[in-house]
Amino acid sequence: MTDAVDGQDSTTSSNITWPADLGGVALDLLRFPAAYPLDVDQDGARDLLIAVNETFEIDGRGGAWHYRNTGSTESPIWNLVNRAFLQDNMIDVGRGAYPAFTDFNADGLLDMVISCKERYLGPGDTPSLLARFQNVGTDTAPAFEQLDTNWLSLPDYGLESTAMAFGDLDGDGDDDLILGDELGNVHAWTNQAEPGSMADYLLTGPSMADDSGVPIDVGQFATPELHDFDNDGDLDLLIGEKNGGVQLYENSGSSSAPVFSLLTVSAGQVDVDNALGIDGYPTPRVFENDGSSWLVVGNELGHLQVFSLPTNPLAEPDLEWPEVTDQWNGLYEGLFCAPALADLDGDGILDLVLGVRDGGLTLWRGEGEDVVRSCAPAINGINPIALMTPSWIPSPNPIASGGRMAVPSEGLAIFDLAGREIIRLRATNGEVNLPIDLPAGTYLIRPEGAYNDAGAPPSWRSARRLVVVADR
């Protein structure tokens, strides 16, 4: 780099094969690579993380390259370790993640389906796809395994920017599927499977019509939700649309032959918060809690707004639904968030999965009887991590493998940075002994069990960062 005539730095040369010229594997990221020196393995030599510094039309499955420095900080030797640092252990469906739950293999456990606005397959090839994740855990400890990336082959139908809702529309006891798209239309798939069998979906309602025979069209970016608003035994339809409102359709048919009649284009006078006073991109979900019904809506700011629903929203569809909060639990995990709620750990309390524009998910465990006001983040499926509190600071930190440290509890759980549990240690006299073979690196640690005389408050159940160095 050298000073240009305008006072700005300019490039005088480039090396497009680095570090192949040094014997390594050449970097090959699609756009705007940015390098970050970091001693990932805590061996005293700084490694390199190189990531795409862009959010559009990128491959989220391979956007963070990790080069390990097997030399020194002064004389580095770069060896490629991973093309998807941390990403390879996370769910990433592309751009825009819209999760929903259904038991698609009829085993009694809730599985997960995620739609995306677009998934990068190559330049100019970014279709909207559905990915299924089967619950291979239990009813109290869910674990999701990805089955596919193009379920139902949506590109064959030309559908883009899809979002979905599941519900029994034909009265046969299994979930059917409603899918909204970028053009504002909704489409129906019927589950033809026999009871107890893997779901078998057939498109039966392309550009699904309302009671007048006209295709339902909410404008742009339809995000549907199915719910029995009037408790008459059949599912009604609520649809979010790009401009920030939600439209309400009553099922004027039956539980086995639905007919949807538009009641209002501004249900509850909902107009979600937005960035420029124009759009909003609402993603609605309805849930029951403590005998009341609630509407939670994700918006383009990445906030969850919660509205209190009347006993029968269909009776006065234009009546204002009071807003309880404009940012549920203060959550912000990314722009354009989309919620899905279900009891994933069998404790009778709803848990929350939140998709965001970057294509990933976060999982939050409901911890209180009042779900509307009680939610805590989780890792590895069901393990809670509350907000950070200053009451306990791990010491020593960094610590050598095999070292001892004081803890404020009966034990300590150690996780890697992807949230996977490595080991649980039991405390003796208020201390734990780290395994001598624990590899050097950066970990998350969390106290476990009842707290001890160190005086940690009940909110100590939070994760701290711990750096482990090689025993010297």
Side-chain angles (χ1 to χ4, degrees):
M1 305 288 287
T2 186
D3 287 335
V5 294
D6 60 359
Q8 303 295 315
D9 288 335
S10 60
T11 301
T12 58
S13 64
S14 64
N15 181 355
I16 62 174
T17 63
W18 179 93
D21 56 321
L22 302 176
V25 177
L27 177 70
D28 184 19
L29 286 174
L30 287 172
R31 59 179 68 195
F32 202 177
Y36 305 90
L38 179 69
D39 188 3
V40 175
D41 53 10
Q42 303 297 322
D43 65 352
R46 287 193 295 180
D47 309 299
L48 269 181
L49 297 179
I50 306 179
V52 177
N53 198 7
E54 177 58 271
T55 59
F56 298 102
E57 290 207 3
I58 60 171
D59 185 359
R61 299 160 298 172
W65 288 39
H66 170 204
Y67 286 92
R68 182 171 184 264
N69 183 359
T70 57
S72 64
T73 298
E74 295 75 19
S75 300
I77 300 173
W78 305 114
N79 290 283
L80 180 63
V81 176
N82 196 334
R83 289 179 170 86
F85 180 68
L86 297 184
Q87 295 173 305
D88 55 353
N89 295 310
M90 299 179 182
I91 292 176
D92 191 327
V93 296
R95 181 169 172 241
Y98 303 88
F101 291 103
T102 183
D103 182 9
F104 56 65
N105 62 346
D107 66 350
L109 301 177
L110 283 175
D111 308 300
M112 182 167 56
V113 182
I114 309 173
S115 62
C116 67
K117 185 180 188 300
E118 55 189 39
R119 186 178 181 92
Y120 183 86
L121 301 180
D125 186 10
T126 56
S128 180
L129 302 176
L130 298 180
R132 288 183 302 169
F133 292 79
Q134 181 177 336
N135 188 347
V136 295
T138 68
D139 58 358
T140 59
F144 296 101
E145 179 179 87
Q146 187 166 358
L147 296 186
D148 45 40
T149 59
N150 188 20
W151 183 52
L152 299 182
S153 300
L154 297 188
D156 293 347
Y157 306 102
L159 302 179
E160 298 182 354
S161 300
T162 56
M164 72 201 136
F166 288 95
D168 185 6
L169 292 174
D170 55 8
D172 64 352
D174 55 34
D175 278 347
D176 305 297
L177 168 66
I178 295 287
L179 196 74
D181 69 15
E182 184 171 341
L183 298 179
N185 302 127
V186 292
H187 314 272
W189 272 260
T190 299
N191 186 356
Q192 306 177 99
E194 295 295 325
S197 301
M198 176 70 79
D200 179 18
Y201 284 92
L202 176 68
L203 178 61
T204 54
S207 297
M208 191 172 69
D210 61 17
D211 59 329
S212 64
V214 177
I216 293 173
D217 185 350
V218 299
Q220 288 181 288
F221 295 94
T223 52
E225 170 69 333
L226 291 166
H227 186 77
D228 184 4
F229 287 101
D230 54 357
N231 294 306
D232 65 349
D234 57 39
L235 292 174
D236 307 296
L237 179 62
L238 188 70
I239 310 176
E241 48 89 11
K242 176 185 176 182
N243 289 335
V246 290
Q247 301 190 12
L248 182 59
Y249 290 77
E250 179 182 6
N251 185 351
S252 56
S254 66
S255 60
S256 58
V259 177
F260 293 109
S261 305
L262 178 63
L263 295 182
T264 178
V265 297
S266 57
Q269 302 179 37
V270 171
D271 186 11
V272 300
D273 298 337
N274 54 74
L276 300 175
I278 302 173
D279 299 321
Y281 296 90
T283 52
R285 296 295 185 200
V286 178
F287 65 96
E288 306 290 334
N289 179 63
D290 195 27
S292 300
S293 297
W294 308 83
L295 172 68
V296 57
V297 189
N299 63 36
E300 67 173 320
L301 300 178
H303 302 164
L304 293 176
Q305 295 174 246
V306 178
F307 300 85
S308 175
L309 297 180
T311 303
N312 181 6
L314 305 186
E316 297 181 87
D318 291 313
L319 183 70
E320 182 178 359
W321 299 341
E323 184 179 40
V324 177
T325 175
D326 62 358
Q327 191 174 1
W328 192 16
N329 286 279
L331 298 184
Y332 174 77
E333 295 298 317
L335 299 173
F336 293 85
C337 65
L341 292 143
D343 180 10
L344 296 177
D345 54 9
D347 63 355
I349 302 172
L350 290 174
D351 307 300
L352 168 70
V353 167
L354 193 63
V356 294
R357 184 176 70 176
D358 291 340
L361 303 177
T362 55
L363 173 61
W364 299 76
R365 179 185 179 186
E367 291 195 318
E369 294 181 1
D370 188 350
V371 175
V372 177
R373 300 172 181 83
S374 174
C375 212
I379 61 173
N380 196 29
I382 60 170
N383 297 307
I385 296 181
L387 296 176
M388 181 67 73
T389 58
S391 56
W392 175 62
I393 299 175
S395 180
N397 188 13
I399 186 173
S401 53
R404 295 186 65 83
M405 67 184 305
V407 295
S409 57
E410 294 177 340
L412 190 74
I414 302 178
F415 305 87
D416 66 15
L417 293 182
R420 295 170 302 190
E421 185 174 309
I422 303 298
I423 192 173
R424 291 183 180 230
L425 305 174
R426 186 166 184 81
T428 302
N429 297 323
E431 292 184 326
V432 295
N433 209 103
L434 297 189
I436 190 65
D437 57 351
L438 184 65
T442 301
Y443 298 89
L444 296 175
I445 57 174
R446 186 186 67 201
E448 291 289 311
Y451 58 88
N452 57 26
D453 294 336
S459 57
W460 57 254
R461 294 181 64 86
S462 56
R464 267 70 169 178
R465 176 176 174 269
L466 179 70
V467 174
V468 175
V469 297
D471 189 14
R472 296 185 177 89

